[in-house]
Amino acid sequence: MNIFVLIKQVPDQGAKAGINPDGTIDRARAKRMLNPFDRYALEAALFVRRLYGGTVTAISMGPPPAVEVLYEAIAHGVDQAILLSDRRLAASDTLATAYALYCTVRYAGAFDLVFCGLQTTDGDTAQVGPQLAERLQVPQITYCEKFEIAQGAIVARRVIEGGAQTVRCPLPAVVTVANSAPRLAYKTLRGARRVQQLQRDEAERSRVIRTVNLDDIGADPVRCGLKGSPTIVAATEKVGEIGGNCTLYQGKPLQQLVDDLLAAQVIAPELVKQ
Amino acid sequence: MSTKQVLIFVEQEDGCARPVAFELLGAGRMLANKLGAELAAFVACDSVGELPETLVAHGADRVYVAEHPELATYRTLPYRRVLIDLIAAMDTPPHIVLFGSTTTGRDLAPRIAAYFETGLTADCTELDIGPYEHTNAQDPSKVGLYPDCLYAIRPSFGESLKARILGPWKNPQMATVRSGVMVPLAPDATRTGVVQSVPVHLESADLQLVVAETLRSLGEQVELQGAEVIVSGGYGLGNPEGFALMYQLAACFENSAVGSSRKAVDAGWIAHAHQVGQTGKTVRPKLYIACGISGAIQHRVGMDKSATIVAINKDSNAPIFKFAHHGIVGDLHQVIPELIRQLKLQKTSTPDTSHVATHSL
């Protein structure tokens, strides 16, 4: 099995540092982390290798510090990694991102499965997986939460509104993994040692983690970055602090508080079960 | 077809449109009116029945129908094929194409956008039409004035910002729209429209994926979106048993449901299907009772359109009191049993307006 998993470094929105007063993210100062949704994709990729053998390659696109998430993936047991890093990718929307990742996958070689997180916590679009599948001209299984592989096909359970669906699809395919799928296990001791080794041994590091640019992967720069993006963020507006009109009930005996609330006819009588 | 068009994708099951389709028709009608455009709906199915008439009554001027046995259940590739064929066959592509931000819409829309190399804005909460002048000389080919640009507005950065995303350089301009946000039109049976059958040519490659089984309502059914009253619990409940209290309170109301914040779901206290907010459901009940929910922005965007919001929280500085209409500052484990007791009293006593008047003084 030749398994690819796409992962992304995102700003840690839980950390206060790196958040501008207007609520935007100062990406230079923000604490960074592996996109939480990608942890499920990593687990799925490693699960396939555990059961069916093969090689797992983690692929990421981002500025040089994004290599941190590739180290993290290696610590979890990924075999090798590719970082696509190029200034010409700045301001890529999902279409341009999917194109650049498509070129990276093509560069990385033949595959049986490409796993992606359902979405990222910074973009929240859930678009790159299906857009990549479209470029690769392969079927996709989105919202996958459980699967097995048999006779060259993947049989998967995917989440749908109010339920689930079981589908069967021949390989190769792109799979986006839901966050109801199994959680990523702990880093392995072997993985941690591997990372230590890579940090010491530069030759080995550049063999295991390849850093490539648009020219290396044969991508057309016009289809990347700002130029290749059909959408732009034209304006942002802080979600206003509304309210200040809340009627607070406090500082009285409990019974009186509830009594006051109900007396204010906050709860329409017709809503109450008779 | 040279008329300007707004096209919406209709999700259907067994010949019935899913609720988001009517919401898209409502949003699409508004956009079409502003553009002086036709509102078209696209349905793929095995047998369309009376669905086109229903869609016309809810605002469509034209309904494109692709009927084929292989289109009975939604699958990415066959649906992709018929929708791409439809758009590609038009003299001018639709000005705008809208999908629901559902597991189906988010599966299909990106593939269509990638095929046509056009922009797609995800999970919009507002849509509008307006002019846009692009002056950014970094990309001279895009500079110009665009009079009829789709304003696709969506929350970003953990919902602390609203971003307006534009892509007027190429049609169709596409968006997925968060379900539960747009308001459907009241049906008007006197409306008339054109029903147009579209050809279906599927290739064997489109049929590689097969659906073995579809199960709805696995486990407990959570009807948050149709509920008039939602009793929602957060991390302040303290433990999973706290949700028993939520169910007791919900039981006091007709047509109620139990919701939750993300933290309670992440803690494993309740299933994700109950989650209200950014990564859960968007709701707009008549009454929303938030218990032990601090009111993070991610939760707020899912429920702040509720007609009346009542918050119960120990911390009088909790952000939820900034946007709730009424708030009780107190321990929910004491407040809620008292609230239940008084609601039960209310129902046993006949409505007594003098009682209300006395206490509101």
Side-chain angles (χ1 to χ4, degrees):
Chain A
M1 286 279 176
N2 212 356
I3 310 144
F4 295 161
V5 54
L6 305 190
I7 60 177
K8 186 183 182 189
Q9 190 176 52
V10 298
D12 180 355
Q13 292 176 7
K16 292 267 186 265
I19 308 292
N20 291 322
D22 67 352
T24 56
I25 289 168
D26 179 345
R27 284 178 189 263
R29 282 194 305 128
K31 196 170 162 240
R32 294 175 297 257
M33 64 191 284
L34 172 65
N35 173 37
F37 289 94
D38 296 345
R39 300 177 69 84
Y40 301 94
L42 266 175
E43 177 58 31
L46 294 167
F47 167 81
V48 173
R49 193 188 57 188
R50 270 202 305 277
L51 262 69
Y52 310 101
T55 306
V56 177
T57 306
I59 296 174
S60 192
M61 167 175 145
V67 76
E68 290 161 20
V69 294
L70 296 176
Y71 277 121
E72 194 171 342
I74 287 168
H76 280 284
V78 160
D79 300 288
Q80 54 188 21
I82 299 174
L83 176 65
L84 171 63
S85 197
D86 195 311
R87 297 184 74 88
R88 291 170 288 179
L89 288 162
S92 293
D93 72 358
T94 64
L95 192 82
T97 300
Y99 168 72
L101 288 171
Y102 155 71
C103 295
T104 315
V105 167
R106 198 180 51 184
Y107 162 85
F111 66 90
D112 298 292
L113 283 160
V114 179
F115 289 103
C116 309
L118 185 62
Q119 62 199 62
T120 60
T121 53
D122 57 349
D124 271 325
T125 70
Q127 289 173 1
V128 169
Q131 289 183 326
L132 176 70
E134 177 64 25
R135 302 248 186 245
L136 292 167
Q137 288 293 294
V138 296
Q140 70 195 33
I141 299 172
T142 53
Y143 296 90
C144 177
E145 60 176 358
K146 199 178 172 187
F147 65 91
E148 58 184 35
I149 291 163
Q151 294 150 0
I154 176 168
V155 179
R157 189 173 75 193
R158 61 186 296 265
V159 182
I160 55 173
E161 275 76 18
Q165 194 173 54
T166 306
V167 299
R168 183 186 166 84
C169 176
L171 303 182
V174 170
V175 178
T176 76
V177 186
N179 54 358
S180 48
R183 283 176 188 272
L184 185 63
Y186 293 105
K187 292 171 186 171
T188 62
L189 187 59
R190 195 160 160 258
R193 286 195 177 135
R194 182 102 173 103
V195 170
Q196 282 178 350
Q197 183 207 356
L198 294 182
Q199 281 165 342
R200 281 195 308 266
D201 183 343
E202 197 182 323
E204 179 69 356
R205 181 169 69 228
S206 54
R207 197 185 66 77
V208 172
I209 304 179
R210 278 175 286 173
T211 300
V212 295
N213 62 26
L214 293 182
D215 304 322
D216 296 326
I217 60 171
D220 178 358
V222 175
R223 296 175 71 184
C224 299
L226 187 66
K227 281 201 170 73
S229 297
T231 61
I232 54 155
V233 179
T236 56
E237 177 195 334
K238 192 162 193 224
V239 176
E241 286 296 330
I242 51 168
N245 297 323
C246 182
T247 310
L248 276 188
Y249 304 84
Q250 61 182 332
K252 284 188 196 171
L254 177 66
Q255 191 184 337
Q256 190 64 44
L257 292 182
V258 175
D259 220 25
D260 289 352
L261 177 82
L262 293 176
Q265 295 197 303
V266 170
I267 296 174
E270 69 268 19
L271 297 176
V272 180
K273 200 177 266 177
Q274 290 305 311
Chain B
M1 173 61 53
S2 56
T3 320
K4 200 177 258 187
Q5 253 188 8
V6 174
L7 178 66
I8 69 139
F9 171 75
V10 176
E11 277 180 48
Q12 62 83 33
E13 203 169 72
D14 303 326
C16 290
R18 296 186 63 81
V20 70
F22 300 111
E23 295 165 17
L24 291 178
L25 283 172
R29 187 71 260 165
M30 180 273 290
L31 297 175
N33 291 351
K34 281 200 172 180
L35 285 165
E38 184 182 75
L39 177 60
F42 167 75
V43 190
C45 57
D46 58 343
S47 170
V48 78
E50 289 169 14
L51 184 52
E53 289 72 30
T54 310
L55 297 172
V56 168
H58 280 84
D61 300 313
R62 181 181 297 266
V63 181
Y64 294 110
V65 178
E67 275 179 309
H68 193 283
E70 295 283 1
L71 300 173
T73 302
Y74 171 75
R75 280 183 293 166
T76 317
L77 296 182
Y79 272 57
R80 167 196 172 277
R81 177 74 65 185
V82 287
L83 185 50
I84 284 174
D85 284 351
L86 170 68
I87 294 172
M90 294 175 178
D91 295 336
T92 10
H95 197 74
I96 292 167
V97 183
L98 303 178
F99 297 79
S101 192
T102 58
T103 56
T104 296
R106 278 156 66 111
D107 186 83
L108 181 61
R111 288 200 76 133
I112 306 295
Y115 179 87
F116 288 108
E117 304 268 344
T118 193
L120 171 64
T121 305
D123 204 25
C124 297
T125 50
E126 291 170 54
L127 297 172
D128 204 353
I129 297 291
Y132 173 65
E133 186 171 12
H134 191 66
T135 52
N136 187 343
Q138 276 183 304
D139 192 359
S141 66
K142 288 181 180 168
V143 169
L145 176 67
Y146 302 87
D148 290 329
C149 177
L150 174 68
Y151 290 180
I153 295 157
R154 65 182 303 251
S156 71
F157 293 122
E159 314 251 343
S160 58
L161 290 180
K162 281 201 293 192
R164 185 197 285 172
I165 316 277
L166 309 179
W169 299 280
K170 189 163 184 187
N171 288 342
Q173 299 168 54
M174 291 179 45
T176 66
V177 179
R178 189 177 288 190
S179 58
V181 173
M182 303 292 167
V183 182
L185 301 174
D188 174 0
T190 66
R191 288 195 85 253
T192 55
V194 180
V195 180
Q196 187 176 337
S197 174
V198 301
V200 178
H201 301 293
L202 300 176
E203 295 174 9
S204 59
D206 298 328
L207 305 172
Q208 341 177 28
L209 180 146
V210 293
V211 175
E213 189 180 34
T214 300
L215 294 166
R216 294 278 182 190
S217 311
L218 278 183
E220 184 198 5
Q221 193 154 359
V222 186
E223 288 291 352
L224 278 175
Q225 266 135 341
E228 288 187 314
V229 179
I230 294 176
V231 178
S232 227
Y235 204 62
L237 290 180
N239 55 48
E241 289 73 44
F243 275 98
L245 204 52
M246 299 295 99
Y247 279 101
Q248 285 169 29
L249 179 55
C252 296
F253 300 101
E254 303 278 358
N255 190 14
S256 63
V258 170
S260 78
S261 72
R262 178 176 175 167
K263 265 185 126 176
V265 172
D266 283 352
W269 297 350
I270 194 162
H272 178 259
H274 293 268
Q275 189 181 315
V276 172
Q278 179 186 16
T279 48
K281 296 192 172 84
T282 304
V283 296
R284 47 170 73 201
K286 289 182 177 164
L287 176 64
Y288 191 91
I289 307 180
C291 309
I293 292 177
S294 66
I297 186 81
Q298 290 86 342
H299 188 72
R300 177 179 139 191
V301 292
M303 47 66 83
D304 65 2
K305 301 282 194 305
S306 307
T308 302
I309 299 168
V310 175
I312 302 168
N313 204 302
K314 270 197 280 204
D315 176 8
S316 63
N317 292 317
I320 192 131
F321 291 129
K322 291 209 173 89
F323 57 95
H325 304 100
H326 296 267
I328 293 186
V329 182
D331 181 354
L332 63 93
H333 292 282
Q334 292 168 5
V335 172
I336 294 171
E338 175 63 19
L339 182 57
I340 292 171
R341 190 183 70 80
Q342 294 207 26
L343 284 171
K344 285 187 174 160
L345 272 180
Q346 262 195 355
K347 95 179 169 189
T348 49
S349 64
T350 48
D352 179 358
T353 47
S354 65
H355 165 87
V356 170
T358 313
H359 287 289
S360 60
L361 282 174

